[in-house]
Amino acid sequence: MGTQQHRHRPGRLHQSNKPFKSRHASKGSLKEKSKGKVNRTGIKNYSGAKVLDKTDRRHAARMEQQKKREELTRTNRIFEGRHGVPKIIPVLSLSPDTDVNAAIASLYRSVGQEPPQTGFESSVLNAERFKQKIQFVPLRRNFVDVLDAFKVADMGILLMSATVEVDQFGINCLLGILNQGLVNVAPVVQHLGNVAPKLQASVKKSLVAFNQQFFPNEEHLFTLDTEADALSALRFITSQRPKPLAWRDLHPYLLADDVQYVPSNEEKGMLKVTGYARGNPFNANRLVHLQNFGDFQIEQITTAAIDNGRMTDMEEDDKVLDKPIPGEQDDLVSENEPDFMDNEQTWPTEEELMEADARVRAMGRTDLFADGNATSGKVTKRVPKGTSAYQAAWIVDSEDEEYSEEEEDDSDMAMAVDNNDDDDVVAPAEFQFSSRDDEDEYEEVELESKQGYQDELTAEEEKEAFEHYLEQRKKQFEEHKEFPDEIDTPMDQPASVRFARYRGLQSFRTSPWDPYENLPVDYARIFQFENFARTKARVVSQAIVGQVKPGTHITLWIKDVPKEAYAAYSKERPYIVFGLLQYEHKMSLLHFQVQRDNAYEEPVKSKDPLVLHVGFRRYAVKPIYSQNSNKGSNNVHRFERYLEMGKTSYATVYGPVVFGKIPCMLYKETDNVNEPILVAKGIFVNTDVKRIIAKRIILSGHPFKIHKRSAVIRYMFFNPDDVNYFKPVQLITKYGRVGHIRESLGTHGYMKCSFDGPITQQDTVLMNLYKRVYPKWNTELWKGGLETGEYYSDKMTE
């Protein structure tokens, strides 16, 4: 009997390899292999779509590449040729001992031209060898001027010293340039001859490493000691293509070559700004923005003659390029006027009107009914005898009291004011209890005006008070980090009154919250977009078309400009004009995604005053911060009292609308305008007015008795009415238990609660309450940096 050899038989899941390529198979074999199966058309291949083959895809990619090349050629063509636009090259001194004018003079001499003796005025170098023009903008060590110049720069020259390190001003300038939008730079080192020859290589290596901290791809370091070195630097500058800035190229802009002013009255007049148009085409129907002065309308746009130093017999008249079309020009209205009559109104009765008049009389407002002190210009107050005018100014009348949500946010233990009950108004004591018997105990005191106020503290006492204030801020910040959002329930006031504006949420991410519920009056002043993304796409597409093409030497006739805007013009400082897109003058709710700067270690609290640099505009703001979370379906985001280090947050302010991913910076002002402190940086997100910022407070209680899943909790409330008021709100513990209030016990706020599991004695019971918060209407145009008298040292004195 022969032995049968075992043979492996593959199972059902065994991999079967293809014996040969399918393209070599015959039609019959493929049909037999398919066994009647039909290839199903994919869902994404909708009916009517044309399926591109390999040749069509290759042709489409070639056309896209050609389109990009043509766009790049068109962008660079405006700088080339005899009639080309000069490249704007700011020259920035990063070290105190560098000389801006000496660097520019070396570049002029490298092409055999005599440098102009114009000080810090900009000059144009016609480099015929490279078929380009270069406009050098020498900058003083002024922080605002540096940021303005690099907003319109095509490239920049950074001067560093071989003997003196870059100071704090230079580092601040580099950070500002980096955060507002990166441009190509040419690093230049001066005073290299003062270094020993053996150490020059190490000095160059150190400076390149320092420069790469801010510009990682920049490996060059130029010197201007000889004409050959200067020519090499000039060749590098002319060969570089300007790096596009998306937010800048979206707008039309120009750097002023000349500014003239024709007054129309004592305060306003016509401002004529001449320069080369850049970016998108200027449109006379749109507004323009002047730094530190706001937005204005255009009267007309005309051509301007180019001053090339040549005398001509015939002068061409300026041609009108564009004029505003009536009915299509943007107006200067930035806010809505709230109409309070749109709300539900009930006409007051005669008794209510009489009660209101009596209440006003009781408050001492006799100036509303008779000619009293209202016309004298002096303010008097009836106070006890012996009270000084300074003390009388601090005695608060009922008409001086004003509810402030900001004060409530600063101290959650403050007494809340019930604005809904007008019958709770109490007359001042001096009017309610005054009689003939105590007439001798009171007298009329004239209050001091604000101009006559004298400082009560000396400089040393003021310094001690400020240090004490900073210590208190640090203490509050440390307490917030240890016990975030936890507050104590007041014992002298019912919690239902103190926290009447708060609510409980079963789920912070999914519980419904009406975004139009109880909105403040400020929301009636702003504009809301039905579809912000679609409006942005339409506005940007319209901005590409215009009569004034980039590269044209034009004059903007800007009307109704205050004379201070012309007084701020100086040929030794950059004067720039930006054109606005449609709707960019309208006020709305702006959200920025920001992150704290690592170098700033002080606590940053919501509503702290800061300076916001967003694109080409600067504002003094007091932003509120919220979490950067997109997980919830109800668009509710938690309010943050402090801007935390190492995480991104949202900063919300009222401000004019902006389009695009525009970078922003938040600075803290100091006594020196050239030394602001960078607090945070980020980018603009959207104008979502439905975004709910919810402030959270946590009420805490402690277990008194525990029995399985039930427990008696105390110290969360101090009366049974509050327990019943907050009974529907869910409870949580620090160890993760969830429960609810069952009933009140006794008269001291004890309550019986049930949880989803047994709790321990060391656990803490918490109740989360939320209320919606809004930013304050305090956004103002920042007008700093206008003084030209004081500048940082341009050159170290020997």
Side-chain angles (χ1 to χ4, degrees), residues 245-526:
L245 286 179
W247 69 267
R248 181 187 69 181
D249 298 337
L250 203 62
H251 300 80
Y253 64 95
L254 64 81
L255 176 65
D257 298 335
D258 184 40
V259 177
Q260 298 179 2
Y261 186 74
V262 179
S264 56
N265 53 45
E266 295 181 357
E267 297 180 355
K268 297 181 179 181
M270 181 75 67
L271 189 70
K272 301 179 182 179
V273 184
T274 303
Y276 286 96
R278 303 169 189 266
N280 273 337
F282 273 97
N283 191 340
N285 291 327
R286 303 291 170 252
L287 305 178
V288 293
H289 180 82
L290 299 179
Q291 297 285 338
N292 299 326
F293 294 99
D295 306 333
F296 301 93
Q297 291 180 325
I298 295 178
E299 178 76 21
Q300 63 180 1
I301 302 175
T302 60
T303 58
I306 301 176
D307 186 10
N308 52 11
R310 300 177 182 176
M311 298 296 294
T312 57
D313 297 335
M314 297 180 61
E315 294 185 359
E316 296 182 0
D317 295 335
D318 295 338
K319 186 190 303 182
V320 177
L321 297 178
D322 195 10
K323 274 192 173 185
I325 301 175
E328 297 185 9
Q329 187 178 21
D330 294 343
D331 53 28
L332 296 176
V333 177
S334 61
E335 305 173 14
N336 274 324
E337 293 186 4
D339 188 2
F340 299 102
M341 299 303 294
D342 285 345
N343 301 328
E344 295 182 2
Q345 300 289 332
T346 55
W347 194 258
T349 61
E350 294 184 2
E351 291 100 8
E352 291 175 342
L353 292 175
M354 294 176 63
E355 289 177 2
D357 293 343
R359 190 180 300 116
V360 172
R361 293 180 186 275
M363 291 168 62
R365 300 297 303 274
T366 56
D367 56 320
L368 297 178
F369 303 97
D371 295 336
N373 296 330
T375 58
S376 62
K378 298 179 180 180
V379 181
T380 60
K381 182 173 290 188
R382 193 166 182 269
V383 296
K385 284 188 176 181
T387 305
S388 64
Y390 175 77
Q391 294 171 333
W394 286 96
I395 298 178
V396 180
D397 289 340
S398 58
E399 65 265 22
D400 296 332
E401 295 176 353
E402 181 178 355
Y403 175 71
S404 174
E405 185 181 350
E406 184 174 357
E407 295 175 0
E408 182 190 1
D409 292 339
D410 293 341
S411 175
D412 284 304
M413 293 304 298
M415 299 293 291
V417 179
D418 188 1
N419 292 328
N420 298 326
D421 192 359
D422 292 336
D423 297 333
D424 292 338
V425 178
V426 181
E430 63 267 24
F431 288 94
Q432 188 171 1
F433 301 105
S434 61
S435 61
R436 295 179 179 270
D437 298 334
D438 49 20
E439 285 289 336
D440 298 335
E441 299 179 5
Y442 289 87
E443 62 179 351
E444 297 287 339
V445 175
E446 182 177 343
L447 300 182
E448 295 179 351
S449 61
K450 292 184 178 180
Q451 290 78 7
Y453 174 74
Q454 300 293 332
D455 292 335
E456 296 292 330
L457 301 178
T458 61
E460 292 77 9
E461 293 174 343
E462 190 71 32
K463 183 178 179 181
E464 292 179 0
F466 181 68
E467 292 176 353
H468 177 69
Y469 166 73
L470 294 180
E471 291 177 359
Q472 289 295 113
R473 281 178 61 94
K474 287 186 178 180
K475 183 179 179 181
Q476 293 177 2
F477 180 64
E478 294 298 331
E479 291 179 354
H480 173 74
K481 289 199 301 183
E482 187 174 0
F483 305 104
D485 300 331
E486 288 192 30
I487 66 171
D488 296 327
T489 307
M491 299 181 62
D492 55 347
Q493 184 185 17
S496 58
V497 177
R498 172 64 184 87
F499 307 120
R501 304 176 65 190
Y502 290 83
R503 70 181 69 187
L505 295 177
Q506 185 175 4
S507 174
F508 185 77
R509 296 186 298 110
T510 59
S511 294
W513 194 322
D514 185 8
Y516 297 106
E517 174 187 354
N518 294 332
L519 294 178
V521 181
D522 293 338
Y523 264 57
R525 302 167 63 180
I526 64 176

Side-chain angles (χ1 to χ4, degrees), residues 20-65:
F20 48 80
K21 297 286 186 179
S22 61
R23 61 177 178 173
H24 297 296
S26 63
K27 294 182 180 180
S29 60
L30 291 177
K31 185 176 181 181
E32 182 181 357
K33 186 177 180 180
S34 62
K35 295 180 180 179
K37 291 186 294 184
V38 180
N39 292 330
R40 183 177 63 88
T41 305
I43 299 176
K44 293 184 179 179
N45 294 335
Y46 55 90
S47 60
K50 183 179 180 182
V51 180
L52 300 179
D53 57 4
K54 188 175 182 179
T55 306
D56 294 336
R57 291 196 301 270
R58 187 175 297 172
H59 179 69
R62 190 182 299 112
M63 294 300 295
E64 185 69 20
Q65 185 182 25

Side-chain angles (χ1 to χ4, degrees), residues 655-676:
V657 175
V658 291
F659 292 107
K661 299 294 183 181
I662 299 183
C664 70
M665 296 176 287
L666 290 171
Y667 282 95
K668 182 180 180 181
E669 285 189 282
T670 59
D671 296 334
N672 188 354
V673 71
N674 287 329
E675 297 178 357

Side-chain angles (χ1 to χ4, degrees), residues 221-234:
L221 183 64
F222 299 96
T223 60
L224 305 177
D225 297 335
T226 63
E227 289 189 3
D229 294 337
L231 187 62
S232 176
L234 189 61

Side-chain angles (χ1 to χ4, degrees), residues 512-554:
W513 194 322
D514 185 8
Y516 297 106
E517 174 187 354
N518 294 332
L519 294 178
V521 181
D522 293 338
Y523 264 57
R525 302 167 63 180
I526 64 176
F527 291 84
Q528 176 186 2
F529 293 95
E530 184 177 353
N531 190 324
F532 182 76
R534 185 168 54 194
T535 303
K536 172 192 168 185
R538 179 180 61 82
V539 169
V540 171
S541 62
Q542 290 178 354
I544 302 175
V545 182
Q547 301 293 333
V548 184
K549 300 301 180 183
T552 310
H553 200 246
I554 62 171

